[in-house]
Amino acid sequence: MQLNQARIVLTGATGGLGEALAGQLAAAGAALLVHGRDSGRLAALTLPAGAEIKRLPADLTTAEGVARLAEAARHFRANVLINNAGVGGFGLFDGQAWPEVERILATNLQAPVHLTHALLPWLKEQPAAAIVNIGSAFGSIPFAGFAAYSAAKAGLRALSTALRRELADTPVRVIHISPRAIDTPLNSPAVNALNLELGNACDHPERVAAQVVAALRKGTAERHIGFPEQLFAWLNGAARPLVDRGLAGKLATIKQHAKTR
Ligand SMILES: NC(=O)c1ccc[n+]([C@@H]2O[C@H](COP(=O)([O-])OP(=O)(O)OC[C@H]3O[C@@H](n4cnc5c(N)ncnc54)[C@H](OP(=O)(O)O)[C@@H]3O)[C@@H](O)[C@H]2O)c1
């Protein structure tokens, strides 16, 4: 996709990765509808001069917040949705109170699923469109201490793959990015300490943002950031391209039956 023709809804633009993404996308000539939950932080977000920028605060764990952002996106004539907003979720599963588990699932999985569902009919009408889902290495390599977070990110990865197959004959490309740890406020001091002790690399948000922007430009379907995370993710799903090809031949039949359900 040519970024100077892209009109992008970016969720979580007030966060570490979101702010880096907003800056790089605006610098590349994209028009942006930036979203955050905190209206003060959203108003304070500084972006390259000359870029077309609109701002909309919303809590995406509420139906009302999703509906408002989807409406604003249609009004903005968006052709790209970047589902970036998220929350961390470190803790042993049975030590996490249910409201915390709910918040992890609602923010990292339900919110992007809901927003994608609300915007997809609009995106399908655009001559060229993309949905970019910011997942996590834990979506492919589920990690102890991150059970609910891994479940949410694996769900987002599955949504991305299924939708990519379902939308193969439409103008909508589906891109899924799996970053490893990023140096942002999402990670608590306990997570930073854990990563340090395990020797887990932690990337700078500008570096990750550059890879997301490159994937959007090229229409890359799946990108895992970092090694050895790439290798482990591959080991978890070595046969996916074969399945892609197998399912591509069944798409028409699947669509036919979907009409009668
Ligand atoms: N940091 C990492 O190590 C890491 C690694 C892999 C993947 N990721 C993924 O990268 C993405 C960006 O994370 P980040 O590291 O940039 O995190 P961050 O700095 O904590 O930013 C999170 C963003 O999500 C927004 N948000 C949180 N809850 C929300 C809600 N209920 N409704 C709407 N927006 C909400 C925040 O808005 P407010 O600021 O207004 O609250 C903020 O803009 C996430 O999807 C995360 O899972 C991060």
Side-chain angles (χ1 to χ4, degrees):
M1 167 155 316
Q2 287 192 340
L3 294 182
N4 58 4
Q5 287 166 18
R7 302 186 63 79
I8 302 176
V9 185
L10 172 63
T11 72
T14 49
L17 178 57
E19 188 169 355
L21 273 173
Q24 292 187 25
L25 290 166
L32 293 181
L33 170 56
V34 287
H35 153 272
R37 188 177 36 174
D38 181 318
S39 50
R41 276 221 289 272
L42 193 59
L45 193 64
T46 48
L47 291 166
E52 181 185 343
I53 309 286
K54 295 263 183 288
R55 300 166 201 253
L56 189 106
D59 182 342
L60 297 180
T61 61
T62 69
E64 187 267 337
V66 169
R68 272 198 306 115
L69 185 55
E71 179 53 31
R74 286 185 287 266
H75 196 251
F76 187 70
R77 293 179 288 110
N79 66 340
V80 178
L81 166 63
I82 303 184
N83 284 310
N84 167 69
V87 289
F90 184 43
L92 296 183
F93 191 56
D94 57 1
Q96 290 176 317
W98 182 246
E100 184 184 353
V101 174
E102 266 188 329
R103 190 174 69 95
I104 294 165
L105 296 175
T107 316
N108 295 314
L109 181 58
Q110 185 190 299
V113 172
H114 198 169
L115 188 57
T116 300
H117 184 261
L119 262 189
L120 188 53
W122 168 267
L123 292 175
K124 282 170 82 174
E125 284 172 11
Q126 308 311 309
I131 297 165
V132 181
N133 290 327
I134 306 299
S136 160
F138 292 166
S140 302
I141 316 160
F143 221 76
F146 295 85
Y149 184 80
S150 297
K153 291 297 189 178
L156 187 62
R157 179 167 164 257
L159 176 86
S160 306
T161 307
L163 267 187
R164 185 179 307 124
R165 291 170 176 161
E166 187 171 315
L167 298 173
D169 58 355
T170 77
V172 187
R173 301 281 69 85
V174 182
I175 294 166
H176 177 256
I177 310 287
S178 303
R180 58 185 178 186
I182 316 169
D183 186 11
T184 73
L186 180 121
N187 292 322
S188 62
V191 173
N192 290 329
L194 175 73
N195 283 334
L196 201 62
E197 183 151 2
L198 294 180
N200 292 339
C202 190
D203 293 319
H204 193 280
E206 292 290 346
R207 178 180 179 271
V208 178
Q211 301 217 28
V212 177
V213 172
L216 177 58
R217 267 205 176 98
K218 289 187 196 149
T220 309
E222 285 280 347
R223 179 165 289 193
H224 290 272
I225 298 178
F227 192 88
E229 291 81 0
Q230 261 171 353
L231 174 65
F232 288 126
W234 177 79
L235 286 173
N236 268 277
R240 187 186 55 77
L242 288 178
V243 182
D244 281 345
R245 282 202 285 279
L247 283 180
K250 301 185 198 304
L251 181 58
T253 313
I254 293 166
K255 286 191 160 184
Q256 197 56 39
H257 284 278
K259 279 189 204 147
T260 62
R261 73 177 185 91

